């Protein structure tokens, strides 16, 4: 073997160093690529069996490694659809042909149809929440669809419930003669099935000590905003208050605690009055009502658990998609593909899908991008290393060639 | 990754200092601005990657702001009331040189009658007495007119106030929606919050309000009596102005969300604000003063009434002072609404109107000889004139609801009316200055919390500048290190 072996070993060394230089070149080229994961080379020796008196030089074998689990630093941006994963896990994206891939590059922007697509042309996948909670398939991508933030059909939500923050009826108010001589009045805006505002006029009459009648009318039936109303009250009931040392002005145990009605053109509506009191202070009635009017989507936001919300013009928000994260048993063994995406291989293990923040997965960070995990200083030193290594190997080759030359020249 | 991370941290530091500088600039620009509150940048550490700007926060105190709102409403109410009373008093009480007040005119009439009584045959004195009587009637007519014009002005101001309230509520709706949206989206809403507070300040000048905040910074406005003004959307505030006022006119009430909140029939009456001050003036203070003027007029007609001298038991009739209802006397002891505006001197004693001033001495001003006191036609007859002078000093009942002395002589009652007006004006003025002080103190306290302190801003700017320089230095150092490395590659 002798000299030929030396030359082959030199070639194997040069080829190994050029592999190393190639990874350095890629790393430096992608130093600012969002979601890029550093490639590196590991070498292993190939030593041939040698006798005690002679040495047969072998070679070096190159293994390419990808630092996929090594997270890059986050860079803050101002776009709500720029997403980054903090912790383990990958976004599931699909190529235009529909093949699923994993990626950490989350610079998504809506395309002409409102589908979120990243810089490499891959579409973000998520569960559509339009039909309620999604059913997650833990080991596959079934049920996922391309996340779309285009205007969905304008749709309001009818009001169904009003809850009190606090409410008090003035215990010292004089006894009222009954409708239309109310003691106190307030009103609430609710929404019917098609999103019209329906104003409910709520009248309180103190009919006897600690006894109040509450009537709810539809404001649309009023005369100049008050009595007389052209239709009967939507709901009415008599509420009594417990003024004993235990009750301290809260609703009596025997008293009703809510009013149920159907909003004209709307849904069944409950006015929960359970926290109402009757103590010696001014009238007060502060309530929260659900429901919203139809309005267009103003912006979107993504919460840390991956839920994408549409924010409507009137300030209400609605969950539209849930973006899951996926991971594999050995992320570093994923096969890199063009566009910072990774495909599942036998080495990496199967894809496991779950929501962000659960089963060891990281959280989704909106308005941030994961930068490349390449460190320039590191790459430059590697480059010098490989350059020196390559030169040394070429010297070995050249020396082998020179010696062969000497050998050949022995015969004249 | 150390060098790259160092660069990235330095960049995040530059970003944060940039944001801090922007906010210092905003604070400096807003330092002299009414309703501007100081903004702070919330800088948070990002593990392993420097710092990031978590948001912009504004310095605010809901409790102190609420104090300012309450004080502003109370001040606006008393100011409106005081200004109206001042207008009435300026033309009726505060004119010592012209002696336009009904009290001064009554005193003049009394002395003219006394002089005439000492020489009842003097036609010049007779005419002088009639002239002062006309002065009294005119003073009452003018005072009544002033009161009604003040009511009409208050009514017009109420209409303006209601228009303002509706406009402010409409603006509030826009700003509130932006705040709710911004809160959900997590954007910088601090300037919108300033705008919303500004609108609330303006609104509190017009009407007393109480506010509550719901989820997502959604604000609800109620009047201080609990009527809903704004909840998701603005409620209607409606008011029909009345253009012309007579003493019998009752102004319309202001309705909020269908509930009357001003006037006698208010179900949930509002307590403070300019609107309430104007309504109190129009429906309460001015009406009471008008009632007092009417009572003075009724007292005058009664004091100068003529009694049947023929023994036929004829009813009393108005004498020197008369009104549209003559020959019947105004009902005794109760307010005859509008009498002060209608009282006149009987033309049969007015020389200018072809009358005879000496009828004052003789009686029979109404034209019926049955009421003639001086049946013999004596030129020195002074009994009737003496009786008239006494009549001015005789105690007579007045309607207690007029809030003057219920049982007093005419001159005393007129005096009590003047002092009632003066005391109302004084108490309104005292309340106004008390509330003004309270408002200033509350505003000072709030300003201490949310105001911009230029010294603080400037020293903070120096700190930011130092951080920026240090970061820049860091970047150039890292750059130098990378350059050294690149030079090593040959």
């Amino acid at each position: 073997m002798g000299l030929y072996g030396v030359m082959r070993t030199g070639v194997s060394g040069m080829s190994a160093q050029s592999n190393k230089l190639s990874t350095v070149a890629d790393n430096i080229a992608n130093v600012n690529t969002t979601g890029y994961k550093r490639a590196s080379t590991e070498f292993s020796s190939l030593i041939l069996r040698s006798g005690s008196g002679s040495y047969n030089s072998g070679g070096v074998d190159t293994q390419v490694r990808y630092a996929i689990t090594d997270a890059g630093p986050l860079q803050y941006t101002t776009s709500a659809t720029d997403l980054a994963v903090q912790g383990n896990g990958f976004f599931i994206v699909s190529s235009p042909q529909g093949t699923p891939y994993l990626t950490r590059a989350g610079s998504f922007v809506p395309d002409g149809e409102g589908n979120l697509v990243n810089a490499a042309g891959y579409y973000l996948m998520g569960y559509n929440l339009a039909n309620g909670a999604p059913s997650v398939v833990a080991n596959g991508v079934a049920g996922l669809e391309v996340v779309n933030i285009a205007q969905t059909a304008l749709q309001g939500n009818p009001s169904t419930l009003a809850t009190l923050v606090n409410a008090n009826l003035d215990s010292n108010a004089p006894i009222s003669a009954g409708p239309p001589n109310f003691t106190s009045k307030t009103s609430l805006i609710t929404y019917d099935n098609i999103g019209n505002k329906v104003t409910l006029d709520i009248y309180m009459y103190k009919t006897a000590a600690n006894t109040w009648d509450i009537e709810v009318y539809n404001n649309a039936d009023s005369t100049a905003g008050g009595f007389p109303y052209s239709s009967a009250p939507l709901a009415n009931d008599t509420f009594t208050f417990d003024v004993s040392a235990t009750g301290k002005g809260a609703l009596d145990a025997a008293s009703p605690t809510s009013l149920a009605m159907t909003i004209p053109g709307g849904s069944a509506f409950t006015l929960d009055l359970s926290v109402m009191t009757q103590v010696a202070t001014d009238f007060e009635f502060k309530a929260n009502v659900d429901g919203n009017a139809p309005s267009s989507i103003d912006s979107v936001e993504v919460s840390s658990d991956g839920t994408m919300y549409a924010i409507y013009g009137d300030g209400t928000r609605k969950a539209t998609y849930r973006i899951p994260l996926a991971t594999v048993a050995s992320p570093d063994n994923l096969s890199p593909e063009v566009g910072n995406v990774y495909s599942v291989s036998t080495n990496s293990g199967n894809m496991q899908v779950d929501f962000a923040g659960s089963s060891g997965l990281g959280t989704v960070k909106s308005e941030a991008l994961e930068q490349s995990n390449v460190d320039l200083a590191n790459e430059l030193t590697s480059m010098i290393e490989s350059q020196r290594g390559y030169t040394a190997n070429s010297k070995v080759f050249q020396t082998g060639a020179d010696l062969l030359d000497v050998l050949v020249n022995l015969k004249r | 990754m150390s060098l790259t991370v160092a660069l990235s941290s330095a960049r995040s530091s530059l970003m944060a200092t940039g944001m801090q500088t922007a906010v210092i600039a905003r604070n400096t620009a807003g330092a002299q601005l009414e309703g501007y509150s100081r903004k702070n940048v919330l800088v948070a550490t990002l593990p392993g990657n420097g710092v990031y700007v978590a948001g912009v926060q504004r310095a605010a105190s809901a409790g102190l702001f609420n104090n300012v709102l309450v004080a502003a409403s109370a001040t606006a109410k008393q100011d409106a009331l005081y200004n109206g009373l001042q207008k009435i008093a300026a033309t009726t009480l505060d004119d010592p040189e012209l002696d336009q007040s009904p009290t001064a005119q009554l005193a003049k009439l009394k002395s003219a009658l006394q002089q005439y009584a000492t020489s009842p045959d003097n036609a010049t004195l007779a005419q002088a007495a009639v002239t002062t009587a006309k002065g009294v009637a005119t003073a009452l007519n003018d005072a009544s007119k002033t009161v009604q014009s003040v009511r009409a002005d208050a009514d017009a101001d109420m209409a303006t106030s209601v228009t303002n309230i509706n406009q402010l509520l409409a603006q509030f709706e826009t700003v509130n929606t932006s705040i709710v949206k911004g809160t959900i989206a997590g954007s910088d809403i601090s300037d919108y919050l300033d705008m919303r507070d500004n609108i609330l300040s303006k609104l509190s000048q017009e009407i007393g309000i109480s506010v509550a905040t719901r989820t997502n910074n959604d604000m609800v406005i109620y009047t201080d009596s609990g009527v809903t003004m704004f909840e998701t959307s603005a409620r209607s505030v409606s008011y029909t102005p009345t253009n012309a006022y007579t003493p019998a006119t009752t102004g319309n009430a202001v309705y909020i969300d269908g509930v009357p909140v001003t006037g006698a029939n208010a179900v949930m009456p509002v307590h403070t604000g300019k609107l309430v001050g104007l309504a109190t003036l129009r429906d309460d203070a001015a009406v009471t003063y008008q009632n007092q003027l009417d009572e003075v007029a009724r007292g005058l007609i009664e004091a100068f009434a003529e009694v049947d001298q023929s023994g036929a038991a004829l009813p009393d009739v108005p004498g020197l002072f008369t009104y549209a209802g003559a020959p019947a006397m105004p009902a005794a002891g109760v307010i005859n609404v509008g009498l002060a505006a209608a009282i006149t001197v009987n033309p049969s004693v007015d020389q200018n109107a072809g009358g005879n001033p000496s009828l004052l001495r003789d009686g029979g001003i109404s034209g019926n000889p049955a009421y003639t006191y001086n049946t013999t036609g004596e030129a020195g007859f002074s009994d009737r004139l003496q009786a008239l002078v006494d009549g001015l000093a005789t105690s007579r009942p007045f309607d207690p609801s007029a809030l003057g002395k219920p049982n007093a002589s005419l001159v005393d009652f007129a005096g009590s009316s003047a002092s009632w007006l003066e005391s109302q004006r004084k108490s309104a003025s005292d309340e106004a200055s008390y509330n003004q002080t309270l408002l200033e103190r509350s505003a000072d306290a709030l300003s201490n919390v949310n105001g911009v302190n230029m010294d603080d801003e400037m020293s903070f700017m120096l700190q930011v500048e130092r951080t920026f320089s240090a970061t820049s230095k860091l970047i150039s150092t890292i750059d130098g290190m990378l350059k050294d490395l690149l030079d090593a590659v040959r």
Side-chain angles (χ1 to χ4, degrees):
Chain A
M1 294 291 287
L3 285 176
Y4 279 111
V6 170
M7 285 168 70
R8 261 186 248 111
T9 305
V11 171
S12 129
M14 282 194 283
S15 133
Q17 293 302 334
S18 73
N19 280 339
K20 186 178 170 81
L21 197 59
S22 298
T23 61
V24 170
D26 248 359
N27 289 347
I28 292 180
N30 286 297
V31 70
N32 286 322
T33 305
T34 301
Y36 178 79
K37 297 299 175 191
R38 182 175 83 236
S40 58
T41 45
E42 280 300 318
F43 301 121
S44 60
S45 58
L46 286 174
I47 296 174
L48 299 181
R49 182 176 288 275
S50 309
S52 60
S54 68
Y55 191 90
N56 288 329
S57 66
V60 62
D61 181 35
T62 312
Q63 289 285 324
V64 179
R65 290 281 169 82
Y66 296 95
I68 295 175
T69 39
D70 189 3
L74 292 189
Q75 180 191 4
Y76 280 79
T77 69
T78 50
S79 166
T81 54
D82 277 348
L83 305 175
V85 178
Q86 273 187 315
N88 297 326
F90 300 84
F91 294 116
I92 303 165
V93 292
S94 83
S95 68
Q97 289 74 35
T99 322
Y101 291 104
L102 304 180
T103 191
R104 301 270 291 191
S107 61
F108 295 100
V109 287
D111 70 0
E113 290 165 0
N115 295 326
L116 285 182
V117 61
N118 76 4
Y122 289 91
Y123 291 98
L124 178 64
M125 306 294 277
Y127 294 104
N128 195 335
L129 299 181
N131 300 317
S135 54
V136 180
V137 181
N139 59 354
V141 294
L144 285 172
E145 49 183 90
V146 173
V147 174
N148 187 300
I149 60 164
Q151 294 291 349
T152 48
L154 299 183
Q155 188 188 333
N157 292 313
S159 302
T160 54
L161 179 68
T163 46
L164 294 182
V165 180
N166 52 5
N168 181 57
L169 301 173
D170 184 2
S171 62
N172 294 323
I175 305 286
S176 144
N181 299 312
F182 56 92
T183 312
S184 298
K185 181 207 171 180
T186 190
S187 61
L188 288 175
I189 298 237
T190 58
Y191 299 92
D192 70 7
N193 289 336
I194 54 170
N196 287 318
K197 279 182 186 171
V198 177
T199 308
L200 300 181
D201 286 348
I202 304 166
Y203 290 95
M204 290 95 176
Y205 311 88
K206 186 180 183 184
T207 51
N210 310 322
T211 307
W212 293 71
D213 275 2
I214 298 183
E215 285 186 342
V216 182
Y217 287 92
N218 180 7
N219 181 268
D221 298 338
S222 70
T223 311
F227 282 100
Y229 285 82
S230 61
S231 58
L234 299 173
N236 60 333
D237 213 333
T238 303
F239 294 77
T240 51
F241 292 89
D242 180 1
V243 292
S244 69
T246 49
K248 289 178 184 160
L251 277 171
D252 198 278
S255 166
T257 56
S258 66
L259 281 170
M261 67 207 82
T262 304
I263 292 171
S267 306
F269 182 78
T270 308
L271 177 58
D272 183 355
L273 299 170
S274 48
V275 302
M276 190 163 65
T277 58
Q278 185 220 237
V279 292
T281 182
D282 287 345
F283 168 71
E284 193 179 20
F285 196 94
K286 291 166 185 168
N288 280 322
V289 187
D290 63 356
N292 64 291
S295 54
S296 54
I297 295 175
D298 216 50
S299 58
V300 292
E301 66 162 0
V302 182
S303 68
S304 63
D305 66 354
T307 311
M308 176 172 272
Y309 294 94
I311 298 172
Y312 289 87
D314 65 347
T316 52
R317 69 173 185 176
K318 190 182 163 195
T320 51
Y321 284 94
R322 186 88 192 257
I323 300 164
L325 295 182
T327 188
V328 291
S330 172
D332 284 343
N333 283 320
L334 284 165
S335 317
E337 309 276 349
V338 176
N340 307 321
V341 295
Y342 304 97
S343 59
V344 175
S345 67
T346 329
N347 286 342
S348 68
N350 283 331
M351 192 191 286
Q352 294 144 21
V353 181
D354 208 336
F355 292 131
S358 54
S359 38
L361 291 170
T363 54
V364 175
K365 180 95 184 136
S366 177
E367 298 189 350
L369 288 175
E370 184 173 339
Q371 291 172 283
S372 157
N373 64 359
V374 173
D375 182 50
L376 210 49
N378 221 346
E379 298 307 322
L380 288 175
T381 44
S382 294
M383 194 163 83
I384 297 167
E385 271 172 34
S386 61
Q387 190 187 2
R388 298 288 174 254
Y390 194 94
T391 317
N393 277 304
S394 70
K395 288 285 180 209
V396 169
F397 182 86
Q398 201 181 356
T399 310
D402 286 352
L403 289 182
L404 265 183
D405 201 27
V406 169
L407 197 62
V408 169
N409 288 336
L410 284 178
K411 174 85 178 71
R412 264 170 228 267
Chain B
M1 299 215 301
S2 51
L3 275 188
T4 318
V5 168
L7 258 185
S8 168
S9 294
R11 188 168 57 192
S12 75
S13 163
L14 284 188
M15 223 162 119
T17 45
M19 194 71 187
Q20 281 169 330
T21 317
V23 167
I24 292 171
R26 257 166 83 181
N27 283 344
T28 312
Q32 305 298 330
L33 211 63
E34 183 78 17
Y36 180 85
S37 62
R38 181 162 44 83
K39 310 294 187 301
N40 288 323
V41 179
L42 298 179
V43 178
T45 47
L46 190 65
N49 196 26
V51 292
Y52 74 104
V53 174
V56 177
Q57 200 182 38
R58 73 182 196 130
S61 161
L64 290 176
F65 181 64
N66 198 43
N67 285 353
V68 172
L69 291 186
V70 169
S73 297
T75 311
K77 176 193 173 185
Q78 296 300 338
D79 273 351
L81 186 58
Y82 173 75
N83 288 341
L85 290 173
Q86 180 66 24
K87 261 190 238 167
I88 296 176
T91 50
T92 54
L93 300 182
D94 293 348
D95 208 353
E97 284 173 11
L98 293 175
D99 273 348
Q100 286 295 322
S101 75
T103 326
Q105 291 292 328
L106 272 178
K108 267 192 193 170
L109 176 63
K110 193 176 175 185
S111 79
L113 281 175
Q114 276 166 340
Q115 275 186 8
Y116 184 30
T118 53
S119 52
D121 53 346
N122 188 332
T124 316
L125 289 177
Q127 181 55 35
V130 171
T131 309
T132 50
K134 279 167 80 179
V136 173
T138 313
L140 283 174
N141 296 159
D142 287 351
S144 179
K145 225 180 272 172
T146 305
V147 170
Q148 295 318 315
S149 89
V150 164
R151 290 183 71 202
D153 286 353
D155 192 279
D157 287 349
M158 282 170 76
T160 316
S161 179
V162 166
T163 314
N164 278 346
I165 291 173
N166 278 323
Q167 276 172 358
L168 289 169
L169 287 178
Q171 286 173 19
F172 189 88
E173 186 162 354
T174 321
V175 176
N176 193 57
T177 310
S178 304
I179 289 174
V180 171
K181 230 191 290 180
T183 307
I184 295 170
S187 52
D188 177 10
I189 51 164
S190 54
D191 283 339
Y192 281 115
L193 288 172
D194 280 359
M195 270 166 81
R196 187 165 76 177
D197 283 359
N198 257 343
I199 294 174
L200 286 177
S201 295
K202 284 185 198 155
L203 199 57
S204 72
Q205 307 259 324
E206 305 291 346
I207 191 166
I209 52 172
S210 87
V211 295
T213 313
R214 301 196 293 189
T215 43
N216 291 328
N217 258 327
D218 181 18
M219 197 172 260
V220 190
I221 310 179
Y222 302 94
T223 65
D224 55 14
S225 57
V227 183
T228 316
M229 288 184 81
F230 182 92
E231 184 268 325
T232 310
S233 66
R235 298 296 191 271
S236 78
V237 180
S238 62
Y239 175 65
T240 316
T242 310
N243 292 326
Y245 269 84
T246 67
T249 312
T250 308
N252 293 320
V254 175
Y255 284 80
I256 299 177
D257 196 21
V259 181
V261 293
T262 66
N265 298 322
V267 182
M268 297 163 80
V270 181
H271 308 305
T272 54
K274 183 176 156 198
L275 194 60
V276 177
L278 292 170
T280 312
L281 177 69
R282 187 195 69 173
D283 301 337
D284 199 1
V287 170
T288 306
Y289 190 62
Q290 177 68 42
N291 285 342
Q292 291 172 355
L293 293 175
D294 290 344
E295 282 296 89
V296 171
R298 191 179 59 77
L300 269 177
I301 293 172
E302 273 181 10
F304 287 88
E306 294 184 335
V307 182
D308 177 26
Q309 301 295 317
S310 65
L314 294 172
D316 294 0
V317 290
L320 175 61
F321 291 100
T322 186
Y323 72 115
M329 289 293 289
V334 289
I335 298 163
N336 186 320
V337 175
L339 200 56
I343 191 168
T344 53
V345 167
N346 200 321
S348 58
V349 289
D350 185 0
Q351 212 165 21
N352 296 342
N356 177 11
S358 55
L359 286 182
L360 196 53
R361 174 195 65 192
D362 298 341
I365 297 173
S366 57
N368 188 340
Y371 294 93
T372 307
Y373 292 79
N374 187 8
T375 43
T376 55
E378 280 178 53
F381 181 77
S382 66
D383 293 2
R384 169 64 177 158
L385 289 172
Q386 280 303 339
L388 288 177
V389 172
D390 293 347
L392 285 176
T394 311
S395 187
R396 59 184 75 249
F398 289 99
D399 193 323
S401 68
L403 302 181
K405 279 189 181 173
N407 238 315
S409 75
L410 192 53
V411 177
D412 280 357
F413 182 82
S416 74
S417 157
S419 54
W420 176 85
L421 182 60
E422 188 55 47
S423 78
Q424 290 295 305
R425 177 169 63 159
K426 186 164 182 323
S427 89
S429 159
D430 288 352
E431 284 280 314
S433 55
Y434 165 71
N435 283 309
Q436 185 66 41
T437 314
L438 200 62
L439 175 60
E440 279 164 14
R441 291 290 86 78
S442 309
D444 281 355
L446 180 63
S447 161
N448 284 340
V449 172
N450 75 358
V452 177
N453 181 345
M454 287 310 286
D455 301 349
D456 270 3
E457 295 299 322
M458 288 303 109
S459 60
F460 185 52
M461 191 176 77
L462 289 179
Q463 279 180 28
V464 170
E465 199 184 348
R466 289 283 158 257
T467 313
F468 194 89
S469 317
T471 312
S472 310
K473 183 76 193 157
L474 202 58
I475 289 173
S476 68
T477 309
I478 297 167
D479 186 48
M481 287 160 82
L482 280 173
K483 187 170 170 293
D484 289 347
L485 203 55
L486 284 169
D487 288 346
V489 185
R490 253 170 301 182

